[in-house]
Amino acid sequence: MTESTAPQSEHRTVLLRGGDVHSPADPFATAMVVERGHIAWVGSEGAADAFAGGVDEVIDLDGALVTPAFTDAHVHTTSTGLALTGLDLSGARTLDEALALVRTYVAVHPGDRVVLGHGWDATRWPGQRPPSRTELDAAAGGRPVYLPRIDVHSAVASTALLDLVPAIASMPGYHPQAPLTAAAHHAVRSAAHGAVSPVQRADAQRAALHHAASLGIGTVHECGGPDISDEEDFTALLKLAAGQRGPRVFGYWAEQVADEKDARRIRELGAVGAAGDLFVDGSLGSHTACLHEPYADAPLTGTAHLDAAQIAAHVAACTEAGLQAGFHAIGDAALHAVVDGVRAAAEKVGLGRVRAARHRIEHAEMLTPETVAAFAELGLTASVQPAFDAAWGGEEGMYAQRLGAGRARTLNPYAALLRAGVPLAFGSDSPVTPLDPWGTVRAAAFHRTPEHRISVRAGFTAHTRGGWRAVGRDDAGTLVPGAPADYAVWRTEELVVQAPDDRVARWSTDPRSGTPGLPDLSPGAELPVCLRTVVFGQTVYVRPNE
């Protein structure tokens, strides 16, 4: 891809030509004009000649693909940056390897006030046993260390870190040697993150946003809250993102709202909703997702943080205040409580008002036909993470270990959600699973349970336009005249149309179908490489040496 040497300006007019432009306005478009931060025109190469003399810059795409920039609808930005720059345990194949990585990191980083790690998953290790506190203390050499499990719903912590939390031993979820959960985990996480300096935090946020931009992500939804981070972290991120060129950040603050005063405080933080990780339950990996029937591998049914009455009160108050509400809910019992609560709120304030508010549910994994239908009825957006299925689905994955193969096969039913008309917004929950937009679309299209698979086109829409719709914007996430100029340029192979049914795929590649193609995301195929990311007409990433 080559470009002119026109000087940079805030509102220059740019013509991109000589590639493939993924646009519903013209399925055969090869060129696009951007003016004042918006798409001004898309069309054919021949028509582009008429614009060439009147623009400030011409970019020769050299056959590259232009798509809307991705939106990641569920991110923990600071934690993502700390994972990128800190101790990554995701590659540890055994408990001993994980502890060795801790020892090495502690030795190499003597100045860190607290050692933050991420990504361990004992279900993938021989013996499937997490680190004990005694083992972590030996590896930590007396240093404060915080190591959340990959799902971030439990963690092991060194004694030096626990000593910073008064009365930790009396808190729910405290275990002398086993991972901490519930209130004990939240308190230790707060202490660990409180030890991160403002400079270290800002560096982590910049690293995360730069990494997102390098993957063609133009927007992230930050999911903060008092049980996840703190107000200073949340507001600092929004300020940093607003003051630099990079991905847009929409912030959600996960705190219950009782009245207009609470709603006003949420807005004053800069949040677009009282949603995100407002916990109704926990996670499957940590045995804290709330289930109707016990886990297959433990005599537990998980943890309920909010009941239907509390959910109803929050949704009603947010709806009346004109504020988007939402919850984290994974288990079938938790999702049943969400549906009951939102329906009760609709009976109080009106179904039309609830639907118009586009309240959203994060994760929504253990859905049933009844709860899927209720999502459609109530206008709920499902903010989901297909990489969860890629990581933990299948007949022998973590889901099957926790729930048994029968229940595991019901998880993450994306095709059923789409058939019912439920809006989907795709995300990563990074750092739980990595920022990886094309990999996310691939995971949905090649779901481990075939009946839940959706087309690449539907998955791509959920990861671009779906994220915008989830914040109440229907005018973005697509390359049509008038839309914000948020786009990415990709080096990729031949474009195809992929659907769960091969017959559909073969028909759709016929030029007469008028269906814009997308990269081949078949398992094993090379994923597209991001060459450039642009947000509101401003370049925020260019791949080196391109």
Side-chain angles (χ1 to χ4, degrees), residues 20-39:
D20 289 289
V21 178
H22 186 88
S23 171
D26 183 347
F28 309 111
T30 61
M32 180 172 77
V33 174
V34 174
E35 185 175 22
R36 294 187 176 275
H38 290 80
I39 308 300

Side-chain angles (χ1 to χ4, degrees), residues 77 199 201-211 240 244:
T77 306
V199 171
R201 180 183 64 208
D203 287 346
Q205 292 170 348
R206 289 191 188 94
L209 293 175
H210 175 76
H211 183 57
L240 181 146
Q244 67 174 32

Side-chain angles (χ1 to χ4, degrees), residues 322-421:
L323 188 67
Q324 192 178 25
F327 306 92
H328 160 121
I330 287 178
D332 52 359
L335 287 161
H336 190 89
V338 164
V339 165
D340 285 350
V342 177
R343 187 174 283 127
E347 291 173 358
K348 178 181 178 182
V349 303
L351 177 59
R353 293 178 69 188
V354 166
R355 288 178 57 86
R358 302 190 189 188
H359 303 308
R360 53 188 282 173
I361 311 303
E362 310 301 313
H363 316 309
E365 295 198 71
M366 289 187 71
L367 290 161
T368 64
E370 292 73 25
T371 48
V372 168
F375 269 46
E377 170 201 350
L378 299 166
L380 298 175
T381 294
S383 171
V384 296
Q385 297 74 39
F388 287 7
D389 175 74
W392 303 311
E395 295 297 307
E396 298 180 357
M398 183 271 286
Y399 290 155
Q401 294 173 26
R402 293 289 186 266
L403 302 172
R407 279 190 293 179
R409 281 192 289 268
T410 69
L411 265 59
N412 303 305
Y414 303 137
L417 286 163
L418 284 181
R419 283 195 301 270

